[in-house]
């Protein structure tokens, strides 16, 4: 019995080859994109300048570094940080300045004074929100928390807290707790980061003297783009 030979049109053969080539090309492009995307996710977004370069001398305040333990750093999960105590010359005012920076805002969730300090045994007595006037004429929105340690180690501590979210200052953690802030930083054109700034002192006077001088020096350390201008 003779078997008939079916001739496949050349256009069909060409289309099949073209489809295979397109699939191979798409796969190659996908793999390249996946590798690049994975690299972007793993590469942390860093400050324009390391936070350690913040001046040790701020006005009449002189700073001394207070390094954190590896355990604390691992729990915090930040990409950069600064922990430094500043002393106002010829006074009894000491202020501890803690700045934490992360390019993955979800890492900052839960690291708030009202959470961390109470978890360490402090009792939160009061929280107030206020605006601190700066020399530039602008105001800095902050939260001020009043803590005390129970007897027999009776101690009092005041913690001033605010955030820099994509170049803007805020004292509301909900500004970076939404779904859009949980996504990785894929594009350099849409930078997403959070810096937490905490200043603590046993008196509110010390904080109100220190923060207006220190705050304007911290913002320029944040990531920059397009010719060195701060991210809006």
């Amino acid at each position: 019995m003779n078997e008939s030979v079916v001739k496949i049109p050349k256009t069909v053969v060409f289309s099949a080859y073209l489809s295979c080539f397109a699939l191979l090309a798409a796969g190659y492009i996908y793999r390249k994109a996946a590798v690049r995307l994975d690299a972007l996710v793993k590469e942390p977004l860093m400050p324009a300048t390391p936070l350690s370069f913040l001046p040790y001398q701020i006005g009449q305040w002189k700073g001394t570094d207070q390094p954190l333990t590896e355990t604390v750093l691992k729990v915090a999960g930040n990409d950069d940080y600064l922990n430094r105590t500043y002393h106002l010359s010829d006074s009894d005012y000491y202020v501890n300045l803690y700045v934490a920076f992360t390019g993955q805002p979800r890492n900052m969730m839960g690291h708030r004074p009202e959470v961390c300090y109470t978890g360490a045994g402090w009792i939160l007595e009061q929280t107030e929100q206020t605006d601190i006037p700066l020399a530039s004429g602008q105001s800095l929105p902050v939260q001020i928390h009043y803590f005390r340690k129970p007897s027999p180690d009776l101690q009092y501590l005041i913690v001033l807290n605010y955030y820099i979210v994509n170049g803007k200052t805020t004292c509301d953690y909900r500004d970076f707790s939404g779904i859009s802030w949980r996504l990785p930083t894929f594009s350099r054109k849409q930078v997403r980061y959070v810096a937490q700034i905490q200043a603590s002192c046993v008196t509110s006077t010390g904080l109100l003297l220190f923060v207006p001088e220190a705050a304007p020096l911290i913002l320029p350390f944040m990531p920059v783009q397009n010719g060195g201008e701060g991210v809006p």
Side-chain angles (χ1 to χ4, degrees), residues 26-75:
Y28 173 78
I29 294 173
Y30 172 81
R31 286 192 296 274
K32 293 285 288 185
V35 170
R36 183 174 183 275
L37 190 61
D38 186 60
L40 286 174
V41 172
K42 292 180 179 179
E43 179 185 353
L45 178 67
M46 300 301 291
T49 306
L51 295 175
S52 60
F53 281 79
L54 187 74
Y56 282 89
Q57 190 77 38
I58 300 178
Q60 297 300 311
W61 297 84
K62 186 176 182 180
T64 303
D65 285 328
Q66 306 292 338
L68 300 177
T69 65
E70 289 298 324
T71 300
V72 172
L73 292 176
K74 185 176 181 180
V75 172

Side-chain angles (χ1 to χ4, degrees), residues 9-25:
K10 292 183 178 180
T11 54
V12 175
V13 175
F14 176 77
S15 297
Y17 277 114
L18 185 61
S19 298
C20 290
F21 176 79
L23 287 173
L24 291 173

Side-chain angles (χ1 to χ4, degrees), residues 160-226:
L160 182 149
N161 183 74
Y162 69 97
Y163 305 93
I164 301 175
V165 181
N166 234 39
K168 298 180 180 180
T169 56
T170 179
C171 61
D172 191 346
Y173 74 92
R174 290 173 296 184
D175 287 344
F176 60 87
S177 62
I179 294 178
S180 62
W181 297 103
R182 296 175 184 269
L183 299 176
T185 306
F186 294 145
S187 173
R188 292 294 186 185
K189 295 183 179 180
Q190 295 189 7
V191 181
R192 293 292 182 264
Y193 69 86
V194 176
Q196 180 186 46
I197 296 87
Q198 287 185 22
S200 57
C201 184
V202 296
T203 69
S204 58
T205 302
L207 291 175
L208 296 178
L209 288 173
F210 174 76
V211 172
E213 292 194 65
L217 301 178
I218 297 173
L219 188 58
F221 281 78
M222 298 300 104
V224 295
Q225 66 175 19
N226 297 335

Side-chain angles (χ1 to χ4, degrees), residues 46-124:
M46 300 301 291
T49 306
L51 295 175
S52 60
F53 281 79
L54 187 74
Y56 282 89
Q57 190 77 38
I58 300 178
Q60 297 300 311
W61 297 84
K62 186 176 182 180
T64 303
D65 285 328
Q66 306 292 338
L68 300 177
T69 65
E70 289 298 324
T71 300
V72 172
L73 292 176
K74 185 176 181 180
V75 172
N78 297 312
D79 297 318
D80 196 8
Y81 86 98
L82 169 78
N83 193 47
R84 189 178 291 169
T85 298
Y86 283 87
H87 172 235
L88 180 61
S89 61
D90 300 324
S91 79
D92 293 328
Y93 292 130
Y94 289 85
V95 173
N96 188 80
L97 176 65
Y98 172 69
V99 183
F101 176 94
T102 178
Q104 297 293 330
R106 62 178 177 269
N107 291 345
M108 198 68 74
M109 296 302 299
H111 296 297
R112 309 191 303 274
E114 62 270 34
V115 175
C116 296
Y117 279 86
T118 54
W122 292 84
I123 297 174
L124 178 60

